[in-house]
Amino acid sequence: MPQPEPPKRPTYIGIHARDSGSQLLYVSSGVREALGFTPAQMLSLPAETFVADSHGDYMRIYDEKANEGADNGDDDANAYLMYLNVKRADGSAVLHRIITFKCDNCILAIAQALPEVPFRNKRELQVQMLDGAKRQVNVTREKEAQGERRRRNASTRAHRSPLYCSRDRVAKAAFVLENPDAVSTPTAQCGNRNQGPLTVFVTGTISHIIEADPSDVMRYPFLKLVAPEDVVHAGRYFERL
């Protein structure tokens, strides 16, 4: 008896600003199959407008001011796993498994649509920290608990807000690289020169890491940016991909 084919789960990349506007800066072409939008239709719009759930807490994950005083310890995570319902072009919603990475001023998201899962409005946002704390966080409930703490502390005359001590920050940039198998670049111009896939998008924070403007890096072979002693390891990694 033939086995049923596994459901198609389109995957795409999105990058949006980390501020309250959450403006979309980049969307890969896979979004057409997942949502029915073209990248051009989504660019410059707020990422939050495409969240179909009613909790409204997505951007709160990355709001450092909103999270001050929360019981997060010193384990500030840079990567998160969550499930969100995302709006399609036809007005329906589809569940997504999303992994996000924090950059200095933007968020890089790898999204996989799960069209076989029936729609169910998520009224609470739960995320899993993939580094740092390595734990589950219910963002919606934490927001409610934090509001209660503030109200309770405000009624205590002796209460003082904790001093905020900033930690040293590591500069971070987000790259999007082309898939050599999905473009018509001849092999002689791509694989054999051992310079890796070309860069199709990079965030402005690259200037904090190397003395280069984003426009200098666009369409530039990625492995030419890698230190010589690491080129072989990076090249093998891309081959496995």
Side-chain angles (χ1 to χ4, degrees):
M1 183 175 180
Q3 296 293 326
E5 293 187 4
K8 289 185 177 180
R9 294 179 171 179
T11 302
Y12 59 96
I13 293 173
I15 298 178
H16 64 77
R18 192 172 163 181
D19 58 22
S20 58
S22 67
Q23 181 185 22
L24 283 164
L25 308 173
Y26 173 87
V27 184
S28 67
S29 58
V31 76
R32 293 188 181 95
E33 185 178 0
L35 299 179
F37 291 105
T38 65
Q41 290 175 311
M42 300 180 71
L43 287 178
S44 299
L45 295 175
E48 280 196 301
T49 62
F50 296 96
V51 178
D53 297 315
S54 60
H55 50 68
D57 290 326
Y58 170 68
M59 285 305 297
R60 184 177 177 82
I61 307 170
Y62 318 110
D63 189 346
E64 294 178 356
K65 291 183 178 179
N67 292 323
E68 284 179 23
D71 187 20
N72 292 333
D74 293 327
D75 295 324
D76 182 29
N78 293 307
Y80 301 88
L81 168 65
M82 71 197 79
Y83 288 85
L84 290 175
N85 287 296
V86 181
K87 297 176 183 177
R88 285 189 172 117
D90 61 8
S92 62
V94 59
L95 184 66
H96 278 57
R97 180 182 188 268
I98 300 177
I99 299 176
T100 68
F101 300 88
K102 289 194 298 189
C103 188
D104 287 352
N105 60 356
C106 66
I107 301 298
L108 184 148
I110 301 173
Q112 182 182 46
L114 308 175
E116 74 277 13
V117 181
F119 172 72
R120 181 179 178 183
N121 181 23
K122 291 182 173 295
R123 293 178 172 81
E124 294 182 334
L125 175 59
Q126 293 182 321
V127 302
Q128 179 182 357
M129 295 180 176
L130 299 183
D131 64 352
K134 295 183 180 178
R135 61 190 179 91
Q136 299 275 356
V137 177
N138 188 313
V139 180
T140 306
R141 293 184 186 176
E142 174 59 34
K143 179 180 69 175
E144 296 171 353
Q146 189 173 3
E148 179 59 31
R149 287 195 297 269
R150 286 175 176 164
R151 288 189 292 271
R152 185 171 61 250
N153 291 335
S155 62
T156 305
R157 293 183 179 181
H159 172 73
R160 291 185 179 182
S161 299
L163 294 177
Y164 175 71
C165 299
S166 62
R167 297 190 295 271
D168 291 337
R169 299 290 178 180
V170 177
K172 291 174 258 184
F175 282 83
V176 178
L177 309 180
E178 72 174 0
N179 181 357
D181 295 333
V183 296
S184 57
T185 306
T187 303
Q189 298 181 18
C190 185
N192 289 344
R193 66 186 178 187
N194 197 30
Q195 294 178 353
L198 300 181
T199 302
V200 297
F201 181 86
V202 64
T203 56
T205 49
I206 187 63
S207 60
H208 299 163
I209 301 174
I210 60 175
E211 294 181 358
D213 187 82
S215 59
D216 300 329
V217 182
M218 299 285 267
R219 309 304 303 172
Y220 193 81
F222 180 76
L223 288 183
K224 291 185 70 173
L225 300 173
V226 177
E229 61 270 22
D230 292 328
V231 167
V232 173
H233 300 294
R236 289 174 179 169
Y237 172 75
F238 287 127
E239 288 176 2
R240 290 196 299 271
L241 288 178

